Structure formats: structure tokens, C-alpha cells
């Protein structure tokens, strides 16, 4: 017998029990009624004949006449009431089985319904738990299969889940392969750029010895920009390929902010910008000092580029059991509203971007913080100025 038939029988069984019990109860009550009526009439006749034996012919004739009466003539007959008798005077010693049987029948039917519902719900709950556990395994990357040898109402849902999971696996594999291919192509482009840039630098040095001039300096600046682009592309390819080496060691926030600021001393001095980093005690997180410093350099540099001469770039840090937070903001005009949604997109350059920028710095900063279980957001302050907020979570 298939599981589907067992399931149907399980659902039909309480109704069959109820129908059979109803028919049996009706038959039982009818038989009891007949038996009680016969016994009462028999006892009445016996009593009459015991007192008046010569009345037997009249009694038998009366019984025949009574037996021929229809239900309509018997209904509502209250002849004995004029002698002071009532209906309950003749219904003593009612059989207890007549009352107990309906109660027993009700209990049996209720138990049958309860058992059917319990088994049905337990079966459904088990199937739901199995399917949920399978999806949880898929979500954590454990995979696995859920074997169901017999058909039930969840079989179609299970098949669709398998199809969806299989499709997602294929899509993920294709996406990983495409990302890996993109990272490899990006790395190849970066390496290919390195050779002509190096040759161009050497040629430029020879040109400066032979024919020094202002044009050589312009060429040098462009070559430096190309060199930065090549280094950024190489770094992006490592991030995309998942090969960027990140350490897991204690990093002090005050130290890393000061190191990032020190690396920009010359630029800050030339632009007459200062960096304010108030000490807020020793707050640490597990991460990579060098790459965190690299990301903060990009943020401080961005704030510096959008500050007026004599301005201040503010840095602040704090921590709690869940995460450490770093805030970097300036006193400039803030971000353009149209630029805010795209600030961390690769190669995106806003309206007020520095002329020598290539649009990679903020994207690199976001990738570095995300690799360390962190997030970064940008917003405009109500008092004016642009603000970056970084949170690096403990777990």
C-alpha cells in the first residue's frame, strides 16, 4: 500500500468511525426503546390479570385493539393524567448502558479524530523540518540531499526546491568562474601595463638629460598616474580573486589613524590642511594594520581634497562589544546628492573629484573593510561637510 493511500485512509478513518457509531447508536436506542416498551406493557398486563383473572379475554382484545392503533392516534395521549400519573412515573430503572454507550462512542470518536490530527500534523511537521534543515544546509554551503522514496503532498514542493537549489548552484558556479576570469584578465592587463610604463619612465629619464623642459614634467605626472592605475588594478584583481593577503592581528585604532595621517603629511602640508585625531583610549580590533591604513589614507585624502585651505579633517573612533567605529569627516561642502549612491563604485568620479583621481580609492577602501567583516557608509553632515562611517564587527 502506497504512502498516499495510507494518508487518505488516515484522514477518512475518523469519519468512518463516526458514521458507523451513529448508525449503531441509532439501532441500539431503537432496540432499547422496543425492549423497554414491551417489558412495561407485559408487566402491566401481568398485574391486571393477577388482580382480575377473569378479565383475560377483554385484556387480549384490548391488546389487539392497541396493537392496531397508528402512531398518530397514540401521539399526545395523556389519558392517565386525570388519575394523577405522569410520564416519568413509568420510566424508573432506566438501563445505564443506554447513557454510557453514547458517552463511550463520543470518547472513541474524539480519540480517533485527535489521533488522526496528531499523526497528520506530526507527519507534516517532520516533512517541513526536513525541508527546512535541507535549506539551512544549502545556505551554509554544506549541500546534501533529502531522500524521499514515497510520494506525498510535499513531493512537488521538494522537487521544485531541488530544481531551484540546483539552478542556484549552477548560477553561483558560473558567477564564481566569471569573477575569477575577470580577476585574471584584470591582473593580466595590470601586468601588461607595467612593462610599457617602466620603459616610458626610462625613456623619460633619458629625455630629461638630453632635452630638459616643462613638457617632460607633464609626461612624468601622467606616467605616475598610469603607474597608480596599474597598482590599483593589480590590487583589485587580488581582491576579486580572493588572494589579497590579510592578517588577523590586534590593530589599535589610534595608531592606525595616525599612521594614515603621517603618510599624507606632504600633501596635507601643501594644501594647508590639518588632521585632528583625539585620543580616546586603547580600542583594538582583529584585522590587518597595513591594509586598514591604506583604506584610511584614501578616506582622509578624499576629505582633504574637498576641504578649503586652512581646513581640518576630523577623525574619531569608539568601540563596544559588537563593533568598533571610525568616523572621518571634513568641513567642506559635502557630497553631491547625485554622487552619494555611487561613491564606492569602481572608476566612478564625482562632479567635484580631484583632477588626477581615477575613481578607485573609495572602492578599494570599501573592499578592504568588507574583507575584515566591516562596512562603510558615506553621508553629509547637517552642519556641512562629508562624513565616512566605518564599522568593523567582532563576529
Amino acid at each position: 500500500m502506497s504512502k498516499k493511500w495510507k494518508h487518505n485512509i488516515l484522514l477518512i478513518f475518523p469519519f468512518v468511525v463516526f458514521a458507523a457509531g451513529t448508525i449503531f447508536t441509532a439501532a441500539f436506542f431503537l432496540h432499547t426503546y422496543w425492549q423497554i416498551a414491551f417489558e412495561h406493557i407485559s408487566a402491566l398486563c401481568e398485574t391486571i390479570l393477577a388482580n382480575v383473572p377473569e378479565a383475560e379475554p377483554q385484556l387480549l382484545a384490548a391488546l389487539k385493539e392497541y396493537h392496531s392503533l397508528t402512531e398518530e392516534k397514540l401521539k399526545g395521549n395523556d389519558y392517565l393524567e386525570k388519575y394523577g400519573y405522569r410520564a416519568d412515573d413509568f420510566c424508573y430503572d432506566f438501563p445505564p448502558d443506554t447513557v454510557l454507550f453514547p458517552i463511550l462512542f463520543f470518547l472513541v470518536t474524539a480519540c480517533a479524530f485527535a489521533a488522526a490530527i496528531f499523526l497528520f500534523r506530526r507527519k507534516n511537521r517532520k516533512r517541513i523540518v526536513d525541508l527546512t534543515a535541507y535549506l539551512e544546509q544549502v545556505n551554509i554551503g554544506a549541500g546534501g540531499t533529502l531522500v524521499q522514496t514515497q510520494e506525498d503532498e510535499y513531493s512537488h514542493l521538494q522537487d521544485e526546491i531541488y530544481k531551484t537549489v540546483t539552478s542556484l548552484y549552477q548560477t553561483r558556479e558560473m558567477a564564481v568562474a566569471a569573477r575569477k576570469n575577470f580577476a585574471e584578465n584584470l591582473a593580466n592587463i595590470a601586468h601588461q601595463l607595467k612593462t610599457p610604463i617602466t620603459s616610458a619612465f626610462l625613456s623619460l629619464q633619458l629625455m630629461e638629460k638630453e632635452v630638459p623642459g616643462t613638457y617632460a614634467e607633464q609626461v612624468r605626472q601622467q606616467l605616475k598616474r598610469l603607474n597608480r592605475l596599474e597598482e590599483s588594478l593589480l590590487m583589485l584583481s587580488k581582491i576579486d580573486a580572493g588572494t589579497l593577503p590579510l592578517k588577523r592581528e590586534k590593530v589599535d585604532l589610534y595608531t592606525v589613524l595616525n599612521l594614515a595621517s603621517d603618510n599624507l603629511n606632504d600633501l596635507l602640508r601643501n594644501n594647508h590642511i590639518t588632521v585632528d585625531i583625539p585620543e580616546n583610549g586603547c580600542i583594538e580590533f582583529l584585522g590587518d594594520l597595513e591594509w586598514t591604513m591604506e583604506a584610511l589614507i584614501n578616506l582622509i585624502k578624499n576629505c582633504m581634497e574637498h576641504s578649503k585651505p586652512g581646513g581640518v579633517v576630523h577623525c574619531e573612533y569608539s568601540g563596544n562589544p559588537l563593533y568598533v567605529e571610525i568616523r572621518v569627516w571634513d568641513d567642506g561642502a559635502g557630497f553631491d546628492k547625485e554622487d552619494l549612491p555611487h561613491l564606492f563604485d569602481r572608476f566612478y568620479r564625482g562632479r567635484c573629484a580631484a583632477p588626477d583621481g581615477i575613481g578607485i580609492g573609495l572602492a578599494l577602501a570599501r573592499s578592504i573593510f568588507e574583507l575584515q567583516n566591516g562596512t562603510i557608509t558615506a553621508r553629509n553632515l547637517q552642519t556641512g561637510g562629508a562624513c565616512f562611517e566605518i564599522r568593523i564587527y567582532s563576529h
Side-chain angles (χ1 to χ4, degrees), residues 20-94:
T22 302
I23 295 172
F24 186 77
T25 302
F28 177 78
F29 270 106
L30 183 61
H31 173 76
T32 302
Y33 168 75
W34 287 343
Q35 185 66 31
I36 292 174
F38 178 78
E39 290 173 354
H40 279 232
I41 293 174
S42 179
L44 176 63
C45 292
E46 184 180 9
T47 303
I48 293 172
L49 292 177
N51 292 313
V52 188
E54 63 275 11
E56 182 177 355
Q58 292 83 356
L59 178 62
L60 293 175
L63 282 175
K64 289 181 179 180
E65 185 178 353
Y66 167 76
H67 193 267
S68 65
L69 293 176
T70 62
E71 185 66 27
E72 293 180 357
K73 292 182 178 181
L74 292 173
K75 188 176 181 181
N77 190 306
D78 55 356
Y79 180 77
L80 293 179
E81 286 186 357
K82 68 179 183 178
Y83 298 105
Y85 292 102
R86 295 178 303 175
D88 54 357
D89 292 333
F90 300 94
C91 294
Y92 49 85
D93 295 333
F94 198 76

Side-chain angles (χ1 to χ4, degrees), residues 367-381:
S367 298
I368 290 170
F369 287 124
E370 286 179 348
L371 288 173
Q372 298 181 99
N373 196 30
T375 61
I376 180 172
T377 56
R379 63 184 178 91
N380 287 322
L381 298 174

Side-chain angles (χ1 to χ4, degrees), residues 204 212-220:
L204 180 61
T214 57
Y215 293 108
E217 181 60 27
Q218 294 178 3
V219 174
R220 177 177 292 280

Side-chain angles (χ1 to χ4, degrees), residues 221-322:
Q221 293 300 323
Q222 294 303 318
L223 287 175
K224 287 182 178 179
R225 186 179 179 187
L226 280 173
N227 191 55
R228 288 197 305 273
L229 176 62
E230 182 271 331
E231 291 175 352
S232 299
L233 289 175
L234 192 59
M235 190 183 304
L236 287 174
S237 67
K238 290 180 179 179
I239 291 174
D240 290 338
T243 59
L244 187 68
L246 285 176
K247 298 177 182 178
R248 293 279 294 175
E249 57 187 12
K250 290 184 178 180
V251 177
D252 180 69
L253 293 180
Y254 182 73
T255 301
V256 73
L257 284 168
N258 278 281
L259 289 173
S261 175
D262 291 343
N263 277 272
L264 294 171
N265 272 336
D266 293 339
L267 283 174
L268 292 168
R269 191 181 304 110
N270 293 336
N271 288 275
H272 307 288
I273 304 293
T274 57
V275 179
D276 177 39
I277 309 175
E279 186 175 0
N280 193 23
C282 179
I283 299 178
E284 299 175 328
F285 72 95
L286 288 179
D288 190 289
L289 175 65
E290 295 296 328
W291 286 113
T292 304
M293 180 184 68
E294 182 72 25
L296 291 172
I297 287 173
N298 289 328
L299 300 183
I300 295 174
K301 183 172 179 291
N302 185 277
C303 289
M304 178 200 71
E305 291 170 348
H306 294 84
S307 297
K308 297 178 180 179
V312 179
V313 175
H314 304 271
C315 299
E316 185 180 76
Y317 64 94
S318 60
N320 58 54
L322 296 179

Side-chain angles (χ1 to χ4, degrees), residues 167-186:
S167 176
L168 290 175
Y169 270 129
Q170 293 175 350
T171 303
R172 186 184 68 175
E173 290 174 357
M174 293 174 60
V176 170
R179 184 176 180 179
K180 184 178 179 181
N181 186 48
F182 174 77
E184 291 176 352
N185 291 336
L186 201 61

